[in-house]
Amino acid sequence: MNIFTLKDFSTEEINQILDEAEEFKNGKKVDFKGQKVVANLFFEPSTRTHYSFDKAAYNLGCRTQNFEAANSSVQKGETLYDTVKFFESIGCDAVVIRHPKENYYEDLIERIKIPVVSGGDGTGNHPSQSLLDLMTIREEFGHFEGLKIVIVGDIVHSRVAHSNYEIMQRLGMEVYTSGPREFEEAGYNYVDFDKILPEVDIVMLLRVQHERHHDLMRLTTDEYHQMFGLNQKRVDKMKEGAIIMHPAPFNRNVEIADEIVECAQSRIFRQMENGVFVRMALLNRVLTND
Ligand code: CP
C-alpha cells in the first residue's frame, strides 16, 4: 500500500485515518517492538515532515534510517529508483520520500514492493500535511461540512494548497484562495483577501517560496505583507471563533506578522503536534496492510 495523494482515498478512509490519529493522541498504543524499519528519504529540505515521521515511527516502536541525499550515492548519479530499491533490499519495511520532482513516485509504482509514503512531491501534493490540517480543523469545529476557508499566498507552487483544495471541497468545505495574481492557480476560487476575511472560519497562510518561484513575484516582501500579510488589524476583522493556520516554516513579517504566530487564534503549533499522530496513523496503516 502506498500513500501518494489523498485523491486515492475515499472520504470514509480519510475519516478512518483521522479517527486513528485522534486515538493515538488520546493514548492508543501500537508497538512493533523494533521489528519494523522505516527509512526516511528526504531529497529536499524538511524539518516538520521528516522529524515528525521519525517521531511517529519511534512512537510505534519502529526503528528508522535517516538518509542524507547530500552525503549519499545520489551525488554519484544514482537514480531515485535505485536508491529506494537499495532500502527495500536491505530489509526496510516502508520508505517515506520527499522529492522535488512532481509525481516522482510514477517511477516506483509496481517496481517497489514495500510501501512508499510521500512526504511531498515538488509542487504536487503533500498528503500528510493535508491530513494534519484536517485533524486540526476537525478538533476545532467537530465537522467539515459548511466551513469556509481562505488559503492565502503562493497557491500555484504549493503542494499544501493543491492537496487541501481537493480534499477540503470533497469534505464539504467552501474553499477560497487569494494572494498575488501571479501565484493564482487556474480554475481555483480566487477572491479578495480583505473582503472574504470576516466571513471565513479558517485563514490558512502559505509561505512565500522564494526557492521555487525564481523571482516570479512582482511584490517586495514589504508590499506582500501590506497586501496579504496577516497582521493584528486583519486578525481584529476575523469572525469570532475563526482560527489561523500555516503549514510552516513561516516567513515572519511577510505572510504573518511576528506577534500573530502565537496569538490566541493561531493553531500553527497544534498543527505540528497533530502531525505526529497523523503520521503514526499513516505508518500503522501501511505497515499492517499487506
Ligand atoms: N510543513 C512542512 O512540510 O514543513 P517541512 O518542509 O519543514 O517539512
Side-chain angles (χ1 to χ4, degrees):
M1 172 184 216
N2 299 310
I3 298 176
F4 299 137
T5 154
L6 297 184
K7 288 184 196 131
D8 297 335
F9 291 83
S10 66
T11 53
E12 192 188 346
E13 288 169 318
I14 299 284
N15 280 310
Q16 281 168 2
I17 295 167
L18 297 179
D19 289 346
E20 190 173 39
E22 201 177 300
E23 285 165 24
F24 280 127
K25 191 167 183 174
N26 291 329
K28 174 178 169 169
K29 300 271 181 260
V30 167
D31 188 357
F32 288 103
K33 299 182 189 300
Q35 299 302 305
K36 300 281 184 189
V37 181
V38 177
N40 292 313
L41 314 186
F42 280 69
F43 295 81
E44 249 194 6
S46 167
T47 298
R48 272 143 292 275
T49 311
H50 186 160
Y51 294 101
S52 59
F53 265 115
D54 195 51
K55 180 66 162 59
Y58 173 83
N59 289 354
L60 294 171
C62 300
R63 286 175 293 143
T64 56
Q65 295 204 298
N66 289 293
F67 165 80
E68 291 177 39
N71 291 321
S72 74
S73 289
V74 169
Q75 303 308 321
K76 302 174 201 164
E78 190 164 38
T79 65
L80 173 65
Y81 171 76
D82 289 336
T83 304
V84 180
K85 195 73 189 165
F86 163 74
F87 282 96
E88 179 183 83
S89 307
I90 63 169
C92 287
D93 298 284
V95 288
V96 177
I97 302 177
R98 172 175 288 184
H99 198 279
K101 188 175 162 207
E102 197 170 326
N103 299 332
Y104 71 80
Y105 42 78
E106 282 170 358
D107 282 348
L108 310 178
I109 294 170
E110 312 225 330
R111 300 170 77 200
I112 295 293
K113 310 266 178 319
I114 57 173
V116 179
V117 181
S118 183
D121 64 303
T123 59
N125 281 273
H126 195 344
S128 65
Q129 177 69 44
S130 207
L131 287 164
L132 74 88
D133 292 341
L134 293 176
M135 180 176 177
T136 307
I137 291 168
R138 197 174 78 164
E139 208 170 65
E140 190 73 33
F141 299 100
H143 65 99
F144 298 112
E145 190 75 38
L147 290 176
K148 290 186 185 175
I149 183 170
V150 62
I151 306 176
V152 188
D154 185 357
I155 306 294
V156 77
H157 298 102
S158 172
R159 52 190 166 221
V160 178
H162 295 147
S163 282
N164 276 340
Y165 198 83
E166 187 275 327
I167 187 62
M168 288 178 177
Q169 283 196 324
R170 189 144 56 95
L171 291 168
M173 292 174 63
E174 277 182 45
V175 188
Y176 300 94
T177 58
S178 193
R181 296 308 293 232
E182 57 269 35
F183 296 147
E184 191 179 341
E185 180 82 50
Y188 278 25
N189 200 358
Y190 185 91
V191 291
D192 182 300
F193 180 36
D194 284 308
K195 274 197 189 139
I196 202 79
L197 185 66
E199 293 177 31
V200 296
D201 302 287
I202 303 141
V203 180
M204 179 175 283
L205 308 163
L206 299 176
R207 186 170 67 88
V208 175
Q209 301 192 57
H210 298 292
E211 76 278 17
R212 280 199 212 282
H213 52 57
H214 310 294
D215 300 328
L216 262 180
M217 189 165 83
R218 289 193 284 265
L219 303 172
T220 64
T221 50
D222 283 348
E223 287 166 341
Y224 185 97
H225 190 61
Q226 195 76 21
M227 292 174 72
F228 303 106
L230 194 64
N231 52 21
Q232 189 60 56
K233 230 167 120 187
R234 287 195 169 108
V235 170
D236 291 343
K237 293 189 179 136
M238 287 168 56
K239 76 179 196 192
E240 205 183 324
I243 60 168
I244 299 160
M245 299 177 74
H246 191 313
F250 29 78
N251 300 301
R252 288 180 187 254
N253 299 320
V254 183
E255 67 268 10
I256 186 164
D258 191 29
E259 65 273 18
I260 302 305
V261 172
E262 295 184 60
C263 74
Q265 293 91 333
S266 170
R267 297 295 177 270
I268 296 172
F269 291 93
R270 175 79 53 78
Q271 290 173 265
M272 295 181 203
E273 180 192 351
N274 286 342
V276 174
F277 303 114
V278 153
R279 289 168 177 131
M280 285 172 76
L282 292 178
L283 290 178
N284 191 34
R285 195 175 182 92
V286 301
L287 290 171
T288 51
N289 209 309
D290 291 327

